Amino acid sequence: MRLFLNLKLLFLVIFLNIDLYSKDLTKVTIQLSWFDQFQFAGYYMAKEQGFYKDAGLDVEILPFSLGMNIPKMVNDGDVDFAIGRENLILEKAKYPKIIALAAIFQATPLVLLTTKDSGIDTFKKFENKKLMRTKDDGSEVSLKAMLSASKIDLKSITQVEHSHNIYDLIEKRVDIISAYTSKAPYILQKEQIKYNIFYPKDYGFDMYSDFLITNIDKYNNDYSIVEKFKKASLKGWEYAYNNIEKSVDIIFEKYNTQNISKDELIFEANELKKLSYLNNNKLGDIKQEKVQRIYDLYNVMGYINSEFKIDNFIGYDKKSRLEKWLYSKFEEHFNLAFLWKLILIIFIITAIFVYRQYFIIKLNKRLKNLVNIKTNRLKIMNKKLATRIKKELDKHQEKDRILAQQQKMV
């Protein structure tokens, strides 16, 4: 009975410790760069599937609002992590503390669209037409570089502020519109409108987009958290791309402030997946030479007002090559979450076995002591009995001797 009670106490202590550990999560924030959509699926899935929690993180995903200066928020330490747009390299000159950890899209999804019936199927036909794009689109070099390389008269193009309404193109209020290839083409296809797409990557301007960024002070002083967040986020992206329909269901139910349909979310997912793995690149990969090429292009086009070291733009993995190789090989063959659970189970079983052995040894010792006490008592009783028998024998012998003497006298 006492063993049963002690085992219950042991289990209670172990599981209380596990529960306390699970609640001891580090709180961090990530700021989105636009309103809810599949563009941020990796972060949603990392939270929903428990990847952040498994890494010891309690992540708050902050919604986007118009007018936000996200690079400044990261630079000033107002948020821990954020999503940076294509022009992040330009922002680095203004906000030196931002640092890029990963590039989710190997090429920007930003494109220019025209309708087939407009007849605008070459850059030359852009002249004297209306182009709708946002202020940010104007600073994103891929579009301007593509247009500049076409050698057309850019001054002849009338710039129109973006309404973010694709029907301005459909209803011919504008001739050309900047849009994400993962969004606007879905509506055009749904409306059965044929369109032309002018993609910067097709003209050699494959700029990174949707950088995962943080503050360099956090990177230097709290690298363990930064590494865990990056790894869990990329795991979330892998899950989202490998389970598009399941991910879309979750986004549709829980992260759908724009009321996007499931079909549109699936379309967006498939388009973005192409960009994340463009040219068979590793998910989240940032190459130094490509960043340098983008920087040089900005510089040639006159966007860089004050030069800075591009080496400080990328937050490299601080692990040695051997550590990374060993860790990656280990991860290929083992599920770390399962491994930790297995270790915990082994620990509990070992603890029970050790306690059982301890109890058996203790019980044997008590039995041995009890046997020794009983044996000693029996020895004493035997000794007393032997003494008593001897006395009785002596007494009877004395009686027999006296009786024999009396018989002789008679």
Side-chain angles (χ1 to χ4, degrees), residues 168 193 203 247 269 282 363 409:
D168 284 332
I193 294 173
Y203 298 88
S247 301
K282 183 181 177 182
L363 183 61
M409 289 177 66

Side-chain angles (χ1 to χ4, degrees), residues 340-386:
W340 280 116
K341 290 177 183 176
L342 183 62
I343 290 171
L344 180 61
I345 292 169
I346 292 171
F347 170 78
I348 293 172
I349 293 172
T350 304
I352 293 171
F353 177 77
V354 169
Y355 185 81
R356 177 178 173 274
Q357 291 302 108
Y358 166 77
F359 179 80
I360 290 172
I361 292 169
K362 189 175 180 181
L363 183 61
N364 286 338
K365 190 175 181 181
R366 286 179 63 186
L367 288 172
K368 187 176 180 181
N369 289 336
L370 187 60
V371 168
N372 289 334
I373 291 169
K374 295 290 184 182
T375 301
N376 289 333
R377 285 180 180 176
L378 285 172
K379 285 181 179 179
I380 294 169
M381 289 176 66
N382 287 336
K383 190 174 181 181
K384 286 181 178 181
L385 183 60

Side-chain angles (χ1 to χ4, degrees), residues 13-39:
V13 169
I14 290 171
F15 284 107
L16 277 175
N17 285 335
I18 294 169
D19 188 55
L20 287 171
Y21 172 77
S22 67
K23 291 178 182 177
D24 188 21
L25 303 175
T26 302
K27 292 184 179 294
V28 296
T29 55
I30 178 170
Q31 176 61 61
L32 303 184
S33 60
W34 193 247
F35 302 105
D36 289 333
Q37 51 193 18
F38 199 92
Q39 183 182 354

Side-chain angles (χ1 to χ4, degrees), residues 196-360:
N196 301 306
I197 184 166
F198 299 86
Y199 216 142
K201 73 177 179 63
D202 294 338
Y203 298 88
F205 305 108
D206 53 338
M207 312 303 187
Y208 288 126
S209 186
D210 279 48
F211 292 96
L212 174 60
I213 62 175
T214 190
N215 183 293
I216 196 167
D217 292 335
K218 188 168 189 67
Y219 173 81
N220 289 328
N221 302 327
D222 209 357
Y223 180 72
S224 175
I225 296 298
V226 171
E227 182 188 33
K228 288 176 182 177
F229 184 85
K230 174 186 172 182
K231 183 181 172 185
S233 298
L234 292 177
K235 189 175 180 181
W237 273 109
E238 288 175 354
Y239 178 89
Y241 284 141
N242 292 330
N243 302 273
I244 287 177
E245 290 190 3
K246 289 181 180 179
S247 301
V248 162
D249 287 341
I250 294 171
I251 294 170
F252 182 80
E253 292 295 333
K254 301 184 70 172
Y255 302 93
N256 197 12
T257 53
Q258 297 192 83
N259 296 316
I260 303 173
S261 69
K262 286 187 179 181
D263 286 343
E264 188 174 355
L265 286 168
I266 290 172
F267 178 88
E268 182 186 6
N270 288 315
E271 290 300 312
L272 293 179
K273 185 176 182 179
K274 296 174 189 175
L275 297 178
S276 288
Y277 295 103
L278 187 67
N279 299 325
N280 295 317
N281 277 294
K282 183 181 177 182
L283 181 64
D285 194 26
I286 308 179
K287 290 185 172 66
Q288 173 69 29
E289 58 270 23
K290 183 172 176 177
V291 171
Q292 185 65 55
R293 175 163 56 83
I294 296 170
Y295 174 85
D296 292 340
L297 184 59
Y298 275 122
N299 205 8
V300 168
M301 297 186 71
Y303 288 119
I304 304 293
N305 296 321
S306 57
E307 294 188 2
F308 60 90
K309 288 185 177 180
I310 202 65
D311 292 347
N312 297 329
F313 178 76
I314 304 173
Y316 292 104
D317 194 336
K318 290 187 177 183
K319 289 180 181 176
S320 67
R321 288 185 178 180
L322 178 60
E323 284 179 304
K324 286 190 285 186
W325 184 83
L326 289 172
Y327 194 79
S328 64
K329 291 298 178 185
F330 187 81
E331 273 200 311
E332 283 179 12
H333 298 91
F334 297 98
N335 182 321
L336 293 183
F338 172 76
L339 191 60
W340 280 116
K341 290 177 183 176
L342 183 62
I343 290 171
L344 180 61
I345 292 169
I346 292 171
F347 170 78
I348 293 172
I349 293 172
T350 304
I352 293 171
F353 177 77
V354 169
Y355 185 81
R356 177 178 173 274
Q357 291 302 108
Y358 166 77
F359 179 80
I360 290 172

